[in-house]
Amino acid sequence: MSAGDVTAAHPAGIDRVLDAQHPYFYLSENTTLINPRLSTWTGMVTAASGKLKLQVPWTAKQVRVVTEICDGGPEELIEHYDDVIEFGYRSATGSAAVLDWSQTLVSPLDLPGPGDYSLRYHVRDLSREGGEAEIERVPMAEALVQLWPSKLSEKKELRITGTFGNFWHPGSRLRSVWDGL
């Protein structure tokens, strides 16, 4: 399935492999600032006018992006990823889209409607995992975006164990050093 295919099999979520020529992709509504009551912050995710810019490991040449729209709290998958953050997301329209780094439409993303959501962003760098030595593999990363209706909340670092997460969220690494003393 190519990055431009849209199928009825996944109306509320997507599963696509994107080119990662630049190490990010977008969740966009093309509206005003997505998180008006929360501060705009930089890290693994940056909120900007009508878009969230979701960073992926810079070593990746491709990224598998999976989105899940949940009715309630999502399935707990934190332990399967290197880095996981969660934050409040306000949907102005209830109609978002995933865009690749060039801002080309990958797939529409149908939310239950406008309103407040929680967004959990999971990332793992698959390019560091071992494999067949004689098979040349394309460096990959995997990103999972889970959305569910919820009151807006501040950013939480749920798991920061990878090089990528520690680059964007070094406070987590520093806290673990202090906790060990």
Side-chain angles (χ1 to χ4, degrees), residues 98-117:
V98 174
L99 310 175
D100 70 9
W101 62 269
S102 69
Q103 299 188 38
T104 300
L105 176 68
V106 172
S107 180
L109 191 60
D110 296 324
L111 301 173
D116 295 343
Y117 293 84

Side-chain angles (χ1 to χ4, degrees), residues 66-87:
V66 177
T67 62
E68 297 176 351
I69 310 301
C70 309
D71 294 331
E75 181 180 355
E76 191 73 34
L77 299 171
I78 295 170
E79 295 298 318
H80 298 282
Y81 290 85
D82 300 326
D83 307 301
V84 183
I85 59 173
E86 183 176 306
F87 55 94

Side-chain angles (χ1 to χ4, degrees), residues 134-171:
E134 56 274 352
I135 297 175
E136 187 174 327
R137 296 181 352 160
V138 173
M140 284 221 31
E142 186 173 87
L144 170 63
V145 177
Q146 295 173 316
L147 283 150
W148 67 96
S150 177
K151 291 182 181 179
L152 290 180
S153 62
E154 293 292 329
K155 178 186 65 159
K156 299 176 211 166
E157 296 171 343
L158 302 177
R159 180 179 170 107
I160 304 294
T161 60
T163 304
F164 172 70
N166 277 302
F167 175 82
W168 288 110
H169 301 274

Side-chain angles (χ1 to χ4, degrees), residues 3-181:
D5 290 344
V6 178
T7 66
H10 300 286
I14 65 164
D15 185 343
R16 302 284 194 278
V17 174
L18 308 180
D19 170 51
Q21 183 173 343
H22 297 282
Y24 52 84
F25 65 97
Y26 296 98
L27 180 66
S28 175
E29 290 196 35
N30 283 330
T31 61
T32 59
L33 188 65
I34 283 181
N35 289 326
R37 293 188 305 185
L38 299 177
S39 62
T40 300
W41 46 272
T42 302
M44 289 168 45
V45 178
T46 304
S49 182
K51 287 187 177 85
L52 293 179
K53 182 178 182 181
L54 297 107
Q55 302 285 342
V56 297
W58 49 89
T59 56
K61 298 299 179 208
Q62 293 183 331
V63 59
R64 177 179 178 218
V65 176
V66 177
T67 62
E68 297 176 351
I69 310 301
C70 309
D71 294 331
E75 181 180 355
E76 191 73 34
L77 299 171
I78 295 170
E79 295 298 318
H80 298 282
Y81 290 85
D82 300 326
D83 307 301
V84 183
I85 59 173
E86 183 176 306
F87 55 94
Y89 170 80
R90 167 155 297 147
S91 173
T93 65
S95 182
V98 174
L99 310 175
D100 70 9
W101 62 269
S102 69
Q103 299 188 38
T104 300
L105 176 68
V106 172
S107 180
L109 191 60
D110 296 324
L111 301 173
D116 295 343
Y117 293 84
S118 283
L119 188 150
R120 189 173 292 163
Y121 183 51
H122 308 66
V123 181
R124 66 178 159 204
D125 187 352
L126 301 174
S127 64
R128 299 189 188 283
E129 294 181 7
E132 300 285 330
E134 56 274 352
I135 297 175
E136 187 174 327
R137 296 181 352 160
V138 173
M140 284 221 31
E142 186 173 87
L144 170 63
V145 177
Q146 295 173 316
L147 283 150
W148 67 96
S150 177
K151 291 182 181 179
L152 290 180
S153 62
E154 293 292 329
K155 178 186 65 159
K156 299 176 211 166
E157 296 171 343
L158 302 177
R159 180 179 170 107
I160 304 294
T161 60
T163 304
F164 172 70
N166 277 302
F167 175 82
W168 288 110
H169 301 274
S172 177
R173 180 181 65 238
L174 295 174
R175 278 191 301 277
S176 65
V177 169
W178 283 106
D179 291 343
L181 296 178

